[in-house]
Amino acid sequence: MMTDNQKDNVLVVLQLSGGNDALNTIVPYTNPLYMDNRPAVRIDPKQVLPINDAIGFNPAMAPLQELWDEGNMAIIQGIGYPHPNRSHFRSMDIWHTCEPDKVGEEGWLGRALRDLDPKKENVLTGVNFGRGLPRALAAPGVPVASVGDLETYGVLTGIEGADQRSEALEMFSKMYAPLIGRNLVKEYISQTGSDALSGADILSTAPQKYTSTVTYGSDPVAQYMRNIAQVHLAELGTRILYTTAPYNSFDTHASELGTHIRLWGEVSNAVSCFFQDLKEHHASDNVVLFMFTEFGRRVHDNGSGTDHGSGGIAFVIGDAVQGGLYGEYPSLAADQLLEGDLHYNNDFRGTYATLLERWMGLDAKPIVGGSFEQLDFIS
Amino acid sequence: MVDNDTALMAHLMRRAGFGAPYEALQAWAAKGYEAAVEELLHPETQPDGIEMDVMERYFIEWRELLAGGTAYWTWRMMNSQRPLEEKIALFWHGILCTGHSKCENPRQQLVEFDMFRRLGLGSFRDILLEISRDPAMVFYLDNCMSHKDAINENYGRELLELFSMGVGMDGHPNYTEDDVKACASAFTGWTITNAVPRYPYGRYASHFIYNAADHDDSEKTFLGETGRFNGEDIIDIIVKQPATARFISRHLYNFFVADDVQVPAWQDTPPRDPEAIKMLEEAYFQSNYEIRAMLRVLFNADFFKQARFAKVKSPVESVVGTMRLVGDFTTPKPGLPAIVAEMRYMGQDLANPPTVEGWHTGKEWIDSGTLVERINFTADQVGNVNLPGIRAIIDRLGAEGSTLSAERLVQGCLEMLGHYELPEDTTSMLVAHVRKEGELRTGTEDFDQRVGQMLQLIVATQEYLFA
């Protein structure tokens, strides 16, 4: 637990899996090319919540528009990377590892965690919500708790009876007690078991301490954003919190309009509740939220949905964020497209570098693999 | 007193299959070790026990459930009576990788996995030839994008680097960039029929075709040999390389015997057991590249028999092994996808390896997130005293007398789980725990629960992470 009064900055990441359709998120509602390319899958311009006379929010994003109006939201337009890959897995992998040309093994946030807590003093420096660890958080030897359900998270949760379970956990802690002099694999496994157990012990205190007047939705994103608020408010020294919208939910090949609006309704409400919750507890000033997706979608619709494309959109939200538009909105003109897709104009590693250096106080270069132009959404 | 025959058989079945319940181990042990190995090596002589037509008739959702491929394969691994047929398919899937993240049609991978079952124990030459013609692979590594005038080297490179030779051995590289180019150009024209667009027509299977008009028929020099090589010629040259024998031997050792370093380190790191690798390399050449012959040497060798618990179980081995032990999902019923998903939570997304390099193995399976998933899943399963496999364990231990000593409960549970061994301090801790809870009277509900709980504690140990 942090003992100094100076609160450390915290990064929250919400991954929108499946490839969010940038054009129907921040909508170029007055652009005739949008109408031409989206005969079937377009947002009615009258419904759009205008940002300016060129673009506006998807109508489901009204709760986010409030954060925008308060000047706490950066919209990063045309974000991407060279030679865009349109495979979900590969493209997400590139966003996770910062390795567009070869397959990388370490995640950018895994490396960041190693720098934030080099001596591994806190097993909860990084916490993921959802089952299975995203590669963004993976780095050899870096402990990250991965929590499917915060209310019940722990080791041997299936053992019935409170006494039985606490006795089982005591035995577990002895079974995994780090022993010196055993072989390296066994040492590693003991340490991992101890980390998992102590992480679970500490995390279980978070929901107990938490009270709030904010009512989150019942969808998974809202519940995990609530969990993130609970862990943040418990002041466990957690610096990076991560969660993922359900697997490939944004992959709107078919029946996009209804699905996409529902998804953005859920995400917008969840994010809005999250910031209300933090503000209610006076705990929002050291939190920045980053939302991204692995790629945008094809400019032209397929009659019912949109196929995999490139050139996405990302958001950075928080009290410390200089709200505004960053990057440029990619042109929809046919000769400006890249293989039928929006052309990216700023590398996502520039946004990462901004978050890492200006927010987390880390040296970004070794983490993102080079120097990339930073954006001014954090001064 | 350790029963060596069943203990050794438990080891063999964990490696050549996904483990087996105690009764099955005894039946295998009764055949004798070498005979058991031979039977495993010849799955075609046994019925697989998978009656898809019957299952689809009585459970109409089944066909849909299995459409994605992973549930079908998991089902097979859990229920096949030919354990090595499924295990060798898993072995090849981890080396000759395709992933459904880059696959137009998930069923396409089923064709590939079937090929691994059919040819997986046969000649490595045939395996390489068929994987080069496998539509899922042709698409996954872009060979369909490789043309006479615009060569895409993706498949040509991985064929050498990850599928057959490896970048180097004994500190030296195994091939040059020119070899990669020659290899890639020899495979031009090896393509697939045009896939029908997924929208709005749905998913269609693709088929391999050889397009002679798009094949680069020029003279090529590959690994020192020169000729107007086509893909088959390249494979013929690859399979006779010592590097190929080494590469396959190391893979077999790492998968079936003991955890070694990861593939990228093989150029500069000698094998964990050079003598064992030498034996496997010799079997490779003597048998004309036959995997079955290599495995015969491997399973009968002392280095194998002595390698008990020298491997961290993969998530697939953990989940499938647990399901085989508890005897659930022996007939169609809902809920199988949730079991399959557990493998992904534990870090192995079947049919979707993270990269073309496959999964990293050994201790890399374990991190604080995957460890919790693994222990909780396994403990939930073995603690369910209503499952047939756990019921059988309880009945077997219960039949030993009207009461059971604490020592015997711990020892008996370890045996039933496949002759696991624990360090002395862990064993005495478990014994003390049982003693504290009072006398064990068999045939009572209390007894059932305490057996279930002991199994839960054992599967939570470090030792149970190993196979």
Side-chain angles (χ1 to χ4, degrees):
Chain A
M1 204 172 295
M2 306 313 299
T3 47
D4 46 328
N5 293 324
Q6 179 71 34
K7 284 192 286 183
D8 285 321
N9 284 346
V10 171
L11 177 63
V12 177
V13 178
L14 171 55
Q15 168 180 313
L16 308 176
S17 307
N20 172 49
D21 185 7
L23 285 176
N24 281 1
T25 304
I26 300 298
V27 187
Y29 68 110
T30 54
N31 188 336
L33 288 170
Y34 174 66
M35 309 299 150
D36 292 352
N37 276 294
R38 293 292 174 92
V41 188
R42 70 158 173 258
I43 309 291
D44 179 355
K46 291 196 286 290
Q47 306 273 317
V48 169
L49 312 171
I51 291 170
N52 55 36
D53 56 12
I55 57 173
F57 290 103
N58 178 307
M61 297 170 79
L64 287 181
Q65 192 190 22
E66 287 175 29
L67 290 161
W68 167 262
D69 289 341
E70 289 163 12
N72 292 332
M73 179 196 273
I75 300 174
I76 302 164
Q77 316 170 97
I79 190 169
Y81 56 89
H83 312 297
N85 193 295
R86 291 170 186 80
S87 142
H88 292 293
F89 192 90
R90 181 64 194 129
S91 192
M92 190 56 91
D93 213 41
I94 290 168
W95 279 81
H96 281 178
T97 60
C98 298
E99 301 266 22
D101 302 318
K102 68 179 176 78
V103 172
E105 286 172 21
E106 289 185 349
W108 71 290
L109 295 171
R111 290 190 281 251
L113 287 168
R114 190 159 52 207
D115 290 353
L116 287 168
D117 185 12
K119 293 184 189 155
K120 298 182 216 168
E121 285 164 359
N122 185 348
V123 293
L124 297 177
T125 306
V127 178
N128 173 56
F129 287 92
R131 297 189 68 184
L133 192 66
R135 186 171 281 209
L137 289 161
V142 174
V144 178
S146 209
V147 182
D149 182 346
L150 186 60
E151 306 289 335
T152 60
Y153 179 70
V155 183
L156 288 171
T157 44
I159 290 193
E160 285 170 22
D163 292 350
Q164 295 288 0
R165 176 143 187 269
S166 71
E167 203 169 327
L169 289 182
E170 203 185 312
M171 285 190 271
F172 183 88
S173 76
K174 287 180 188 154
M175 290 172 193
Y176 285 78
L179 284 179
I180 303 159
R182 297 219 258 174
N183 72 45
L184 288 175
V185 173
K186 295 254 162 79
E187 268 177 38
Y188 169 79
I189 286 175
S190 315
Q191 189 61 52
T192 307
S194 306
D195 288 351
L197 189 62
S198 52
D201 273 354
I202 305 166
L203 273 178
S204 68
T205 64
Q208 295 160 14
K209 293 181 194 163
Y210 171 83
T211 55
S212 175
T213 65
V214 176
T215 311
Y216 289 79
S218 58
D219 55 284
V221 172
Q223 286 302 307
Y224 281 142
M225 288 309 294
R226 178 168 172 268
N227 288 159
I228 288 176
Q230 289 173 319
V231 171
H232 175 65
L233 295 171
E235 296 183 11
L236 307 175
T238 302
R239 304 288 306 280
I240 294 176
L241 297 113
Y242 199 104
T243 194
T244 302
Y247 185 64
N248 265 5
S249 48
F250 279 83
D251 194 17
T252 50
H253 286 281
S255 319
E256 170 170 324
L257 282 175
T259 310
H260 193 245
I261 283 184
R262 174 181 59 76
L263 289 166
W264 269 108
E266 290 173 358
V267 168
S268 304
N269 281 319
V271 169
S272 166
C273 286
F274 174 71
F275 279 103
Q276 282 172 41
D277 202 0
L278 298 193
K279 286 189 176 121
E280 174 177 318
H281 295 87
H282 309 289
S284 62
D285 57 327
N286 64 333
V287 175
V288 159
L289 170 76
F290 172 58
M291 281 198 282
F292 78 104
T293 187
E294 69 266 38
F295 46 58
R297 307 193 74 83
R298 282 267 141 88
V299 172
H300 207 285
D301 71 45
N302 66 22
S304 161
T306 50
D307 297 322
H308 301 179
S310 65
I313 200 143
F315 301 87
V316 184
I317 305 171
D319 297 2
V321 173
Q322 304 282 330
L325 298 171
Y326 296 84
E328 281 170 39
Y329 203 92
S331 168
L332 276 71
D335 62 345
Q336 301 290 309
L337 298 180
L338 180 71
E339 299 162 343
D341 295 327
L342 297 180
H343 206 307
Y344 89 105
N345 55 56
N346 65 95
D347 195 300
F348 71 92
R349 289 166 288 186
T351 292
Y352 284 6
T354 314
L355 291 167
L356 291 166
E357 286 200 349
R358 301 191 190 182
W359 185 244
M360 302 304 281
L362 298 171
D363 180 8
K365 218 179 195 176
I367 297 178
V368 304
S371 296
F372 295 87
E373 194 181 337
Q374 296 190 16
L375 306 177
D376 290 327
F377 55 76
I378 291 169
S379 49
Chain B
M1 177 69 204
V2 176
D3 168 356
N4 274 313
D5 287 351
T6 27
L8 186 59
M9 196 50 67
H11 170 61
L12 176 65
M13 295 309 292
R14 272 191 294 270
R15 303 303 181 76
F18 299 92
Y22 200 77
E23 279 69 22
L25 289 178
Q26 287 184 313
W28 279 100
K31 297 178 194 200
Y33 186 85
E34 280 182 41
V37 168
E38 276 314 301
E39 188 177 321
L40 288 163
L41 288 172
H42 286 282
E44 72 283 0
T45 61
Q46 306 297 323
D48 64 5
I50 304 282
E51 311 225 17
M52 288 306 290
D53 47 350
V54 177
M55 289 184 292
E56 284 173 358
R57 178 166 180 167
Y58 289 102
F59 193 81
I60 51 173
E61 299 272 297
W62 200 241
R63 187 184 292 274
E64 190 54 35
L65 196 157
L66 300 184
T70 50
Y72 171 69
W73 193 4
T74 306
W75 169 266
R76 284 198 71 102
M77 288 192 277
M78 280 157 45
N79 289 290
S80 172
Q81 301 303 309
R82 301 169 169 178
L84 185 56
E85 183 180 67
E86 297 305 323
K87 200 69 183 276
I88 201 75
L90 184 63
F91 170 76
W92 289 119
H93 173 49
I95 301 170
L96 311 176
C97 290
T98 60
H100 65 54
S101 60
K102 187 175 170 187
C103 187
E104 290 290 287
N105 176 4
R107 285 171 188 266
Q108 198 69 63
Q109 281 185 294
L110 293 181
V111 174
E112 180 187 285
F113 302 153
D114 257 339
M115 184 271 283
F116 291 151
R117 285 186 195 101
R118 203 172 67 247
L119 301 178
L121 291 166
S123 152
F124 185 54
R125 182 188 178 279
D126 295 347
I127 296 168
L128 279 188
L129 193 55
E130 283 309 304
I131 197 68
S132 303
R133 300 160 56 95
D134 173 65
M137 178 61 79
V138 171
F139 185 79
Y140 184 67
L141 288 184
D142 305 318
N143 212 54
C144 47
M145 312 293 282
S146 186
H147 305 289
K148 187 160 96 175
D149 304 319
I151 292 171
N152 182 312
E153 291 178 2
N154 201 4
Y155 185 70
R157 177 179 304 279
E158 302 307 7
L159 175 62
L160 300 180
E161 179 177 334
L162 295 172
F163 297 173
S164 65
M165 296 172 67
V167 284
M169 67 171 181
D170 302 333
H172 301 291
N174 287 330
Y175 53 85
T176 65
E177 280 300 300
D178 285 340
D179 292 320
V180 171
K181 286 178 191 150
C183 179
S185 67
F187 280 96
T188 48
W190 292 48
T191 188
I192 46 176
T193 47
N194 284 337
V196 182
R198 181 170 153 194
Y199 294 96
Y201 306 108
R203 299 175 190 272
Y204 279 76
S206 39
H207 299 276
F208 176 79
I209 47 166
Y210 174 64
N211 180 0
D214 199 18
H215 173 69
D216 174 3
D217 196 32
S218 65
E219 193 175 82
K220 309 162 186 79
T221 297
F222 178 67
L223 297 175
E225 297 189 37
T226 302
R228 287 166 63 181
F229 296 140
N230 208 323
E232 289 97 332
D233 307 309
I234 294 289
I235 288 171
D236 284 335
I237 296 171
I238 288 174
V239 291
K240 62 187 185 190
Q241 304 299 318
T244 304
R246 173 70 61 88
F247 188 79
I248 296 307
S249 298
R250 286 190 83 161
H251 264 303
L252 288 172
Y253 185 92
N254 187 54
F255 188 85
F256 287 102
V257 184
D259 288 326
D260 197 355
V261 295
Q262 303 300 307
V263 177
W266 286 1
Q267 173 167 347
D268 298 312
T269 313
R272 174 172 167 161
D273 182 350
E275 280 305 309
I277 297 300
K278 196 157 163 267
M279 284 168 71
L280 296 175
E281 287 172 355
E282 281 167 13
Y284 174 82
F285 285 117
Q286 279 164 12
S287 67
N288 248 333
Y289 326 128
E290 200 199 39
I291 304 302
R292 181 180 286 106
M294 298 174 80
L295 284 178
R296 183 176 290 119
V297 168
L298 185 150
F299 289 135
N300 285 307
D302 286 342
F303 68 75
F304 173 76
K305 294 177 186 171
Q306 288 158 4
R308 268 180 232 180
F309 310 115
K311 275 180 61 59
V312 177
K313 278 180 264 191
S314 68
V316 171
E317 289 172 315
S318 298
V319 171
V320 173
T322 301
M323 299 318 289
R324 282 188 95 109
L325 178 82
V326 302
D328 202 4
F329 286 95
T330 53
T331 50
K333 65 173 196 176
L336 187 57
I339 303 290
V340 179
E342 294 288 341
M343 301 171 183
R344 177 159 55 82
Y345 303 147
M346 294 179 200
Q348 189 174 25
D349 193 7
L350 188 65
N352 196 24
T355 74
V356 62
E357 199 190 304
W359 291 279
H360 279 199
T361 54
K363 80 177 175 66
E364 293 195 38
W365 289 122
I366 306 294
D367 62 43
S368 45
T370 59
L371 180 70
V372 174
E373 295 285 358
R374 181 185 288 224
I375 289 175
N376 286 355
F377 169 78
T378 315
D380 285 356
Q381 293 293 328
V382 300
N384 183 348
V385 297
N386 297 314
L387 292 173
I390 302 305
R391 202 61 252 168
I393 291 175
I394 293 167
D395 292 346
R396 199 180 172 87
L397 292 174
E400 292 186 12
S402 59
T403 60
L404 217 60
S405 71
E407 288 83 356
R408 183 57 205 152
L409 177 70
V410 175
Q411 204 49 48
C413 285
L414 286 169
E415 283 166 21
M416 296 297 125
L417 288 170
H419 282 281
Y420 270 84
E421 290 161 17
L422 296 178
E424 223 173 271
D425 50 350
T426 310
T427 309
S428 18
M429 183 171 74
L430 293 175
V431 169
H433 170 71
V434 179
R435 274 213 193 103
K436 211 180 73 187
E437 309 244 301
E439 192 181 43
L440 282 158
R441 295 202 155 274
T442 58
T444 62
E445 205 176 302
D446 172 67
F447 180 72
D448 296 0
Q449 295 304 328
R450 286 169 74 184
V451 172
Q453 207 190 84
M454 182 49 57
L455 296 171
Q456 289 184 307
L457 290 170
I458 293 172
V459 300
T461 61
Q462 293 193 43
E463 288 69 27
Y464 197 76
L465 302 174
F466 290 81

